[in-house]
């Protein structure tokens, strides 16, 4: 165990992190890099295995890839688990078994994944509301018996997927009924979901026959169907959990660049700050991101931190500060399309044609994106 490893509760320095589009509210997921695993005792040998297990859980959450630990390069990352730890601690006693709680250092984990050619999914993720009609029990809500609802919550937690469950009484108040789901009354479902601040819906009808459970599912975003499928499982919890995993798979394909995707770099003269920005060559295939309506250091810091925290962004630098506009040079895995889809998740950054035109005027055929900061 490296000497830099720190037990839980020791003071740590504060680290500040400097598609087809889904026009839906997003949530910043806070604990992507932490995990809990059971361990037989607190010995170093046991701890090393438990740390690898915990890091495996974190890699699934951070990449959005259920099979990430089987990917080429992942084994090397898992072997370095003790080097990537930020803090850890135990609950329980060796006599009865312990729970290891561990947090991994986000920047180090992301760099390890990128070095291995594995995609990273950022902290900003779409919130999803399930509208599920259960043949025997009516509408699924936050009060649904634990054998179903906890399975969905666990799956969402394991994948880092924000989940907004309907509150108890929606059916009783006549706002949404199982009939709305069966008849495809998407306008009603979307209208009620927007009252929760959510625009992504998982709509399903499930039931059992002969001891087996099955369901028909649709994933909607702002009224547009993104995917549909049928599922089957041995139990209702397993069926509901798998539906959430399927949703996470779809989102990850949209917002995380796949391994082997081309890395694009914005290039040009100067080192940032005020002044002129060098024109981008088409051969560089760079991405220049322009943000308008930026007033002062607070706005600048907010935008810079948001861009830097997007999983596909490997590097960014201010290229030009002019009046109320900031332009950033960006290195991004997967190209400008996946970057645009991630930026569009922030409801306070809106696409801006004027900002895009100004950015395009500073390129020689390279990619340019423009947004306006709204307050």
């Amino acid at each position: 165990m490296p000497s830099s490893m720190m037990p839980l509760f020791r003071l740590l320095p504060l680290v500040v992190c400097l598609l087809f589009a889904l026009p839906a509210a997003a949530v910043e997921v806070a604990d992507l890099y932490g995990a809990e695993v059971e361990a037989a005792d607190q010995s170093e040998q046991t701890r090393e295995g438990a740390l690898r297990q915990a890091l495996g859980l974190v890699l699934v959450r951070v990449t959005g890839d259920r099979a990430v630990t089987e990917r080429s390069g992942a084994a090397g990352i898992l072997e370095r688990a003790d080097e990537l730890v930020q803090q850890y601690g135990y609950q329980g006693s060796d006599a009865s078994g312990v729970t290891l709680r561990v947090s991994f250092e986000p920047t180090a984990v992301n760099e390890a994944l990128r070095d291995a050619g594995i995609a990273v999914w950022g902290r900003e993720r779409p919130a999803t509301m399930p509208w599920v009609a259960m043949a025997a029990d009516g509408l699924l809500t936050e009060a649904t018996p634990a054998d179903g609802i906890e399975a969905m919550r666990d799956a969402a937690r394991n994948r880092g997927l924000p989940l907004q469950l309907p509150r108890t009484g929606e059916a009783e108040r006549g706002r949404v009924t199982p009939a709305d789901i069966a008849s495809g009354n998407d306008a009603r479902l979307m209208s009620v979901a927007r009252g929760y601040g959510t625009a992504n819906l998982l709509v399903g009808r499930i039931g059992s026959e002969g001891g087996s459970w099955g369901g028909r599912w649709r994933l909607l975003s702002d009224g547009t169907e993104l995917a549909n499928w049928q599922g089957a499982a041995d139990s209702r919890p397993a069926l509901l959990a798998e539906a959430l995993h399927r949703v996470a798979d779809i989102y990850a394909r949209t917002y995380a660049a796949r391994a082997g995707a081309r890395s694009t770099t914005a290039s040009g003269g100067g080192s940032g700050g005020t002044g002129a920005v060098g024109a981008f060559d088409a051969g560089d295939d760079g991405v220049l991101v322009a943000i308008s309506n930026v007033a002062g250091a607070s706005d600048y810091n907010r935008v810079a931190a948001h861009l830097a925290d997007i999983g596909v962004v490997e590097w960014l630098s201010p290229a030009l500060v002019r009046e109320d506009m900031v332009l950033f040079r960006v290195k991004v895995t997967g190209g400008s399309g996946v970057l645009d889809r991630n930026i569009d998740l922030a409801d306070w950054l809106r696409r801006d044609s004027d900002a895009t035109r100004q950015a395009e005027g500073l390129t020689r055929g390279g990619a340019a994106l423009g947004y306006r900061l709204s307050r």
Side-chain angles (χ1 to χ4, degrees):
M1 186 69 59
S3 59
S4 59
M5 178 100 50
M6 300 184 203
L8 197 60
F9 310 127
R10 290 232 2 226
L11 184 63
L12 294 170
L14 177 64
V15 179
V16 180
C17 292
L18 274 170
L19 309 194
F20 62 110
L22 302 183
V27 174
E28 183 173 310
V29 182
D31 192 26
L32 290 176
Y33 296 85
E36 295 184 0
V37 295
E38 301 302 314
D41 53 55
Q42 300 185 39
S43 68
E44 182 173 350
Q45 182 178 3
T46 300
R47 182 168 61 245
E48 289 177 354
L51 288 174
R52 287 194 293 270
Q53 182 184 354
L55 181 57
L57 298 176
V58 166
L59 294 185
V60 170
R61 204 177 300 136
V62 170
T63 64
D65 183 354
R66 282 192 270 183
V68 64
T69 57
E70 302 169 15
R71 304 297 182 200
S72 175
I77 299 174
L78 295 174
E79 288 300 318
R80 297 175 49 211
D82 59 346
E83 301 174 24
L84 303 176
V85 170
Q86 186 178 70
Q87 54 188 3
Y88 72 93
Y90 291 97
Q91 288 183 328
S93 64
D94 286 359
S96 58
V98 296
T99 299
L100 173 66
R101 304 178 64 183
V102 56
S103 295
F104 294 93
E105 209 291 310
T107 301
V109 170
N110 290 352
E111 289 179 351
L113 286 165
R114 291 189 179 114
D115 289 345
I118 299 174
V120 177
W121 187 13
R123 297 176 190 264
E124 288 273 336
R125 303 187 174 190
T128 302
M129 171 171 279
W131 288 121
V132 182
M134 301 179 293
D137 298 309
L139 189 69
L140 182 144
T141 71
E142 60 186 4
T144 294
D147 71 330
I149 209 66
E150 286 307 315
M152 293 195 92
R153 285 183 169 133
D154 287 345
R157 187 181 305 113
N158 291 339
R159 300 298 297 276
L161 187 66
L163 184 65
Q164 175 62 68
L165 293 166
R167 289 186 288 268
T168 306
E170 292 291 5
E172 288 78 359
R173 291 194 296 270
R175 302 183 69 199
V176 172
T177 68
D180 292 321
I181 296 170
S183 65
N185 190 353
D186 296 343
R188 171 70 64 83
L189 304 179
M190 187 62 62
S191 175
V192 175
R194 285 198 175 280
Y196 288 78
T198 305
N200 284 345
L201 310 183
L202 173 63
V203 181
R205 291 182 290 159
I206 67 173
S208 63
E209 183 176 348
S212 179
W213 284 78
R216 293 179 177 271
W217 302 97
R218 294 186 300 139
L219 180 62
L220 308 178
S221 180
D222 208 28
T224 299
E225 183 176 291
L226 305 181
N228 66 80
W229 68 94
Q230 296 184 44
D234 293 334
S235 67
R236 181 167 71 176
L239 183 68
L240 293 172
E242 177 56 29
L244 261 293
H245 283 298
R246 184 71 172 265
V247 170
D249 292 342
I250 294 168
Y251 289 158
R253 287 196 297 269
T254 302
Y255 295 112
R258 294 296 88 202
R262 181 176 55 187
S263 178
T264 61
T265 308
S267 61
S271 59
T274 58
V277 58
F280 293 167
D281 291 325
D284 293 331
D285 197 23
V287 182
L288 182 65
V289 178
I291 311 293
S292 66
N293 199 32
V294 176
S298 177
D299 284 351
Y300 172 86
N301 290 337
R302 183 186 185 193
V303 170
H306 176 70
L307 293 178
D309 203 38
I310 292 174
V312 296
V313 171
E314 299 183 35
W315 173 89
L316 67 87
S317 175
L320 178 67
V321 178
R322 184 171 62 191
E323 297 178 352
D324 70 341
M325 179 176 289
V326 178
L327 294 97
F328 294 91
R329 298 187 183 96
V330 181
K331 179 180 180 181
V332 55
T333 301
S336 60
V338 70
L339 177 61
D340 180 45
R341 292 194 288 273
N342 277 276
I343 295 176
D344 193 53
L345 282 173
D347 58 7
W348 49 277
L349 288 174
R350 301 295 188 185
R351 290 191 180 91
D352 186 301
S353 57
D354 289 338
T356 301
R357 280 194 294 271
Q358 292 192 53
E360 288 173 343
L362 294 169
T363 71
R364 288 197 290 262
L369 302 172
Y371 308 87
R372 179 178 179 83
L373 189 153
S374 61
R375 297 178 178 82

